[in-house]
Amino acid sequence: MSRVEEFEQLRPLLFSIAYRILGSVSEAEDTVQEAWLRYDASPTQPASAKAFLSATVSRIAIDVLRSARVRREKYVGPWFPEPLLDDPYEDPQRSAELADSVSVAALLLLERLSPPERAVFVLREVFGFGFGEVASAVGRSEAACRQLAVRARRHMDAGRARFATDRRERKELARRFFDAFREGDLDGLRNLLAADVQMVGDGGGKAPLWGAGVFGAENVARVLAAIVTPFIRIGGSVDPHQVNGQPGAIFRDRDGRVVNTLALDILDGQVQTIRAVINPDKLGHLGPVADAWAIVREANQAR
């Protein structure tokens, strides 16, 4: 098998590692490309292409993350990861863990970890790498990586929700939510929202938002019902789709351009959090991006 063939076979895994460390589709793609350049330029064939490339991607991602964290400290408003519609890496035996590890909630928890802790957690806990491979990837001893893994796991466990929802139940609840949303059904929405639900958005200062967020079932239901009718009236669509492994939707204008994505956290049988990504800089990988400000102006005129 040629190096190109080996690399292409491993590309889905490499991207999935990089995305979980970085929370950015564009940066993950750049990281994988840089790993290929280093692999192609290597004068000798590594004993294991998977080990070499996984380690290379992890090291590059750690360096990128260090500089990205500085930029995120200056970010306007809440920072969310770039929405991922389809994870290219599949492992039937770990499908549930893979889906949960790419959720917005999990990626936001990972943001609390140091870059080495984040890489160790992703490699060890998500993808099941041995500590020898992890140590090689992050440039630490196995003992140090075990300590990093313990700290990372402790932070992640402390932040996880206490109640889970069956996947089929979650899918059904999401279907009901988006049915009620598209119909502007205030009562239907209110019944599906947790009492302390919150709706927050990532606009990066470049798109219209609802201030710092909307909180409480009554307020969130009213805002959702108020925005959807004029949006659909001007030709917009709300297309349910998995977003970061969780129930969500893509909003498009009449020409099919992406306005924003929406992702739901469903726990204990209710919608607990609604997160929207509206920053146009984070939507370009999904297709042509609409002018959200123009959409708002047109929708207001259609009320």
Side-chain angles (χ1 to χ4, degrees):
M1 185 183 295
S2 70
R3 287 196 180 192
V4 172
E5 290 171 329
E6 284 185 316
F7 177 78
E8 290 302 327
Q9 191 174 73
L10 291 166
R11 183 190 287 273
L13 171 64
L14 302 176
F15 173 86
S16 294
I17 291 172
Y19 177 78
R20 285 167 173 80
I21 295 175
L22 294 168
S24 165
V25 172
S26 55
E27 289 176 345
E29 289 173 342
D30 290 345
T31 295
V32 172
Q33 182 61 26
E34 176 62 26
W36 158 250
L37 294 176
R38 297 188 188 185
Y39 180 50
D40 186 46
S42 176
T44 58
Q45 177 65 27
S48 168
K50 177 182 177 182
F52 177 89
L53 285 164
S54 298
T56 302
V57 159
S58 299
R59 292 190 198 110
I60 296 170
I62 288 172
D63 290 340
V64 173
L65 183 60
R66 287 193 172 108
S67 61
R69 286 165 74 92
V70 175
R71 296 194 304 272
R72 290 171 192 175
E73 289 174 359
K74 301 176 183 178
Y75 196 80
V76 178
W79 179 92
F80 296 156
E82 290 182 8
L84 182 69
L85 301 188
D86 298 294
D87 188 353
Y89 180 71
E90 297 180 357
D91 181 347
Q93 294 183 336
R94 302 175 66 85
S95 59
E97 295 113 303
L98 288 171
D100 288 342
S101 69
V102 83
S103 70
V104 177
L107 292 174
L108 290 177
L109 284 176
L110 283 170
E111 281 289 301
R112 303 179 185 180
L113 308 182
S114 70
E117 286 175 337
R118 187 162 178 164
V120 168
F121 184 88
V122 168
L123 291 171
R124 175 63 183 172
E125 300 297 325
V126 179
F127 293 99
F129 280 70
F131 275 111
E133 296 171 299
V134 175
S136 174
V138 301
R140 304 286 182 92
S141 67
E142 288 191 37
C145 287
R146 291 180 187 276
Q147 292 178 339
L148 288 172
V150 168
R151 288 205 299 269
R153 195 181 306 117
R154 186 183 303 127
H155 283 303
M156 294 296 287
D157 289 345
R160 291 186 192 278
R162 295 175 55 197
F163 303 100
T165 302
D166 177 85
R167 288 184 176 275
R168 285 176 295 182
E169 180 184 346
R170 183 168 61 188
K171 183 177 180 180
E172 172 60 20
L173 192 148
R175 183 193 64 76
R176 291 165 53 203
F177 172 87
F178 284 113
D179 284 348
F181 176 51
R182 281 187 297 243
E183 294 169 5
D185 180 356
L186 185 60
D187 290 335
L189 287 168
R190 190 187 295 113
N191 291 336
L192 296 171
L193 301 173
D196 58 350
V197 64
Q198 54 181 315
M199 182 167 68
V200 287
D202 174 348
K206 300 180 179 182
L209 277 175
W210 325 280
V214 184
F215 306 92
E218 183 65 29
N219 292 331
V220 170
R222 288 188 178 279
V223 169
L224 288 172
I227 64 176
V228 70
T229 301
F231 178 67
I232 291 177
R233 189 175 294 152
I234 64 172
S237 64
V238 181
D239 306 321
H241 198 291
Q242 289 280 101
V243 177
N244 287 84
Q246 309 298 313
I250 307 170
F251 287 55
R252 300 182 188 274
D253 68 6
R254 65 167 65 89
D255 298 315
R257 293 173 298 192
V258 178
V259 179
N260 67 277
T261 63
L262 206 68
L264 308 180
D265 277 355
I266 297 176
L267 299 169
D268 199 25
Q270 293 180 306
V271 176
Q272 305 283 342
T273 308
I274 302 171
R275 295 186 179 91
V277 175
I278 314 174
N279 184 344
D281 294 344
K282 294 187 174 185
L283 301 172
H285 62 285
L286 303 180
V289 179
D291 181 344
W293 291 106
I295 295 292
V296 169
R297 289 193 295 270
E298 187 176 359
N300 285 337
Q301 293 173 356
R303 290 181 186 275

